[in-house]
């Protein structure tokens, strides 16, 4: 199928899927998956397939980088131990349990471990799309787990495929070296690329050039890591986390605004397209199933899905108690969570495109030239587990969250208020010195001081409004009226400029330039209104 038709189909699917998901109250990934499955019945679309190299080399670096940039490093540090356990031990245990299940169902040990490695990691994009309703700590742990566990899964996957092909051997030293190379090499490459990226961004004043560098960074990290057989996934994650800390200190404001707009749109499109393509691929997987019958393969899907979910539940309800036996510090006790939040974390173990990409990457033949045993079954079961976990757990998640009665997460709102208040107070205190340094006229200083004082009064009014639940403060009414009047005036100015263009008094170029200024002002006012 021609690429142009596919672009149109994917665009329409994204529009329809997100619109339907909003109206039905269902998570968008579920609707997009179902749309992909339905599109697979169209004969012209049956030749569409999801190349694993596209996921691993193009989609994955972009999505992982943005997830890393927008994940709280502070929360990762606070929850480092459970994140490490879930992204390493849980992955290995899941792969082993799935391998044992697949072997019991008749699969040889080599392909069984390949299947286990493919379905073991949770998917960062799926977690990010489905877990928006959860508290910050839970979301951070799930996102960090899904960002790191791909590296563990790729080590297990590489060993399983290599042993099946006859190119690898099991040994403690060999496995330790591969693990060290994967994690140590990936982290080192990620840190090195981040340092180079920071130095480059410091020297670029053009927002377009700065964003060109930013786009190149995740691909460079992934490429260099893969070149030394390290974890490209971990390289991108480490690079993104470092850049998230350095980003506010480097670059220009215009470049950062452009970056946010570009990455938000790019990840939205890529993420949505992935879910549609996974649904489309499921049709192809069913048609290509040849080594076993459909009923047997469906039983394997149900069994493996049950094992994947059961192992996650078992791990989350055993590892915390083992940790408590070892670490009884007051700090550890303060971070303990109850059974209900652990159930929520267990239900969010979605599998996604990375699992399907690993399954599709399985070689077609062995070194001897014989077909890779049960390759089509591996792909079928992996696709089935992805669909089952996304659809069933995605539908169940809202009900589980309501049942869990998780406490309201007010930490971000409180820190947001602290940051705005402290920044305004410090700026107001420093105003005389800044004015003297710049040689500012007294009337300008008075005007700026008055604006800061009004802003601080409004922040205080909002804090009191949050405390007592009322909205009687005149400052709040003043702010609402101010934003409404400013936005109405901007709309009137825009209509006037359009009228001048329609009457041929100004050129289209002038209209676009002036409208850009008005749009920036309107967006700024909307953001200020939301923040207030």
């Amino acid at each position: 199928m021609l690429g142009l038709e596919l672009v149109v189909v994917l665009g329409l699917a994204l529009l329809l899927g997100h619109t339907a998901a909003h109206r039905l109250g269902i998570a968008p990934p579920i609707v997009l998956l179902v749309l992909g499955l339905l599109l697979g019945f169209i004969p012209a679309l049956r030749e569409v397939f999801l190349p694993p190299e596209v996921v691993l080399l193009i989609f994955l670096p972009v999505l992982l980088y943005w997830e890393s940039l927008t994940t709280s490093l502070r929360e990762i540090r606070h929850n480092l131990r459970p994140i490490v356990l879930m992204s390493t031990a849980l992955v290995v245990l899941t792969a082993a349990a799935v391998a044992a299940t697949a072997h019991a169902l008749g699969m040889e040990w080599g392909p069984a471990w390949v299947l286990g490695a493919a379905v073991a990691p949770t998917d960062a994009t799926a977690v990010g799309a489905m877990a928006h309703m959860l508290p910050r700590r839970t979301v951070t742990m799930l996102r960090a787990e899904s960002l790191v566990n791909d590296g563990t899964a790729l080590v297990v996957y590489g060993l399983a495929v290599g042993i099946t092909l006859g190119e690898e051997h099991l040994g403690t030293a060999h496995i330790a070296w591969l693990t060290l190379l994967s994690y140590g090499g990936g982290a080192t490459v990620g840190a090195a690329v981040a340092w180079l990226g920071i130095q480059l961004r410091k020297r670029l004043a053009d927002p377009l050039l700065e964003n060109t560098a930013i786009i190149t960074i995740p691909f460079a990290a992934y490429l260099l890591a893969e070149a030394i057989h390290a974890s490209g996934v971990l390289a991108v994650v480490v690079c993104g986390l470092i850049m998230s800390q350095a980003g506010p200190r480097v670059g220009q404001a215009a470049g950062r605004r452009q970056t946010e707009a570009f990455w938000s749109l790019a990840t939205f499109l890529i993420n949505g397209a992935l879910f549609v393509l996974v649904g489309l691929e499921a049709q192809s997987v069913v048609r290509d199933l040849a080594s076993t019958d459909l009923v047997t393969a469906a039983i394997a899907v149900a069994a493996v899905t049950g094992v994947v979910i059961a192992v996650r539940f078992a791990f989350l309800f055993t590892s915390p108690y083992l940790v408590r036996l070892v670490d009884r510090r007051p700090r550890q006790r303060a971070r303990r969570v109850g059974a209900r939040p652990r159930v929520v974390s267990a239900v969010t173990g979605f599998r996604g495109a990375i699992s399907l990409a690993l399954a599709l990457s399985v070689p077609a033949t062995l070194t001897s030239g014989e077909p890779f045993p049960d390759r089509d079954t591996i792909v079928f079961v992996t696709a089935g587990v992805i669909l089952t976990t996304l659809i069933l757990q995605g539908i169940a998640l809202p009900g589980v969250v309501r049942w869990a009665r998780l406490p309201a997460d007010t930490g971000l709102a409180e820190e947001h208020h602290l940051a705005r208040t402290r920044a305004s107070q410090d700026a107001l205190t420093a105003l005389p010195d800044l004015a003297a340094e710049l040689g500012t006229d007294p009337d300008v200083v008075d005007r700026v001081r008055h604006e800061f004082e009004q802003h601080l009064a409004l922040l205080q009014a909002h804090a009191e409004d949050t405390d007592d639940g009322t909205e009687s403060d005149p400052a709040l009414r003043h702010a609402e009226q101010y934003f409404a009047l400013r936005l109405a005036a901007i709309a009137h100015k825009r209509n006037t400029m359009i009228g001048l263009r329609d009457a041929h008094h100004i050129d289209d170029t002038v209209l676009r330039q002036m409208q850009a200024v008005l749009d920036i002002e309107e967006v700024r006012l909307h953001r200020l209104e939301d923040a207030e």
Side-chain angles (χ1 to χ4, degrees), residues 1-2 5-6 9 35-50 276-277 279-288:
M1 181 179 181
L2 296 178
E5 285 101 333
L6 181 59
V9 168
L35 276 177
L37 287 170
L38 296 176
L39 289 171
F41 287 104
I42 301 175
L45 294 177
R46 290 183 177 177
E47 59 189 85
V48 175
F49 65 97
L50 184 61
V276 177
L277 290 172
L280 271 172
E281 188 69 31
Q283 288 269 359
S284 174
V285 167
V286 173
R287 291 192 298 269
D288 293 341

Side-chain angles (χ1 to χ4, degrees), residues 183-197:
Y183 280 90
T188 302
V189 169
V193 172
W195 183 84
L196 291 173

Side-chain angles (χ1 to χ4, degrees), residues 236 279 469 519:
V236 173
D519 289 345

